[in-house]
Amino acid sequence: MNDTGRAGETVIVRGRVTFPLGARPVPPYTVVVRVEDVSRADAPSTIVGESRLENPTLPPGPQPELDFALAVPTAALSGPVRLNVRVHVRSSRPGERRRDEAIEIGDLVSTRSHPVVPGEGLIRVPLQRV
């Protein structure tokens, strides 16, 4: 996370998604990157920032990477909070309707905690196929 703003503004969270070796997604697909507040152990996480990329161009090679940047309100960083990045790559077929949150066989997801720490820079998020 590099760019900080004043109160009422946003902070830009930057990262890089790494696809598994040989697991390049086939269009059409959507990359959903979320920053979630996971501070409360007894409650569901709260989404504080989200980016959706439809069929982004990936560099050539057997293990592509995709950079992302998304805005998070500076207010989400106030107080004792714990923010994590989560990534879900959803494949779909033309005309297919999918529920937003549903993870299905063949999707690519992040499976570990990827904390957002002010001043830490690029967050690396490796994916695994479901």
Side-chain angles (χ1 to χ4, degrees):
M1 186 165 57
N2 299 1
D3 309 327
T4 57
R6 295 180 292 250
E9 293 182 1
T10 59
V11 174
I12 304 300
V13 175
R14 298 181 190 283
R16 178 168 293 148
V17 175
T18 303
F19 291 82
L21 187 62
R24 176 182 292 276
V26 177
Y29 65 95
T30 303
V31 178
V32 180
V33 180
R34 289 186 173 148
V35 174
E36 300 174 329
D37 181 347
V38 295
S39 301
R40 295 181 53 189
D42 61 342
S45 62
T46 303
I47 298 169
V48 296
E50 179 177 279
S51 175
R52 289 177 179 266
L53 306 167
E54 301 290 336
N55 303 310
T57 302
L58 298 175
Q63 190 170 19
E65 295 182 322
L66 176 67
D67 288 347
F68 65 85
L70 65 134
V72 173
T74 54
L77 297 169
S78 64
V81 296
R82 205 171 113 211
L83 302 179
N84 278 334
V85 173
R86 183 166 57 109
V87 179
H88 178 189
V89 179
R90 303 173 358 183
S91 58
S92 59
R93 291 175 211 58
E96 181 180 48
R97 298 182 79 111
R98 290 192 55 184
R99 295 181 320 175
D100 275 344
E101 299 300 317
I103 295 174
E104 297 181 5
I105 293 173
D107 287 358
L108 297 158
V109 296
S110 54
T111 59
R112 297 183 307 201
S113 174
H114 302 284
V116 174
V117 180
E120 286 286 313
L122 200 67
I123 299 168
R124 294 192 171 274
V125 183
L127 301 179
Q128 291 186 354
R129 187 170 302 277
V130 176

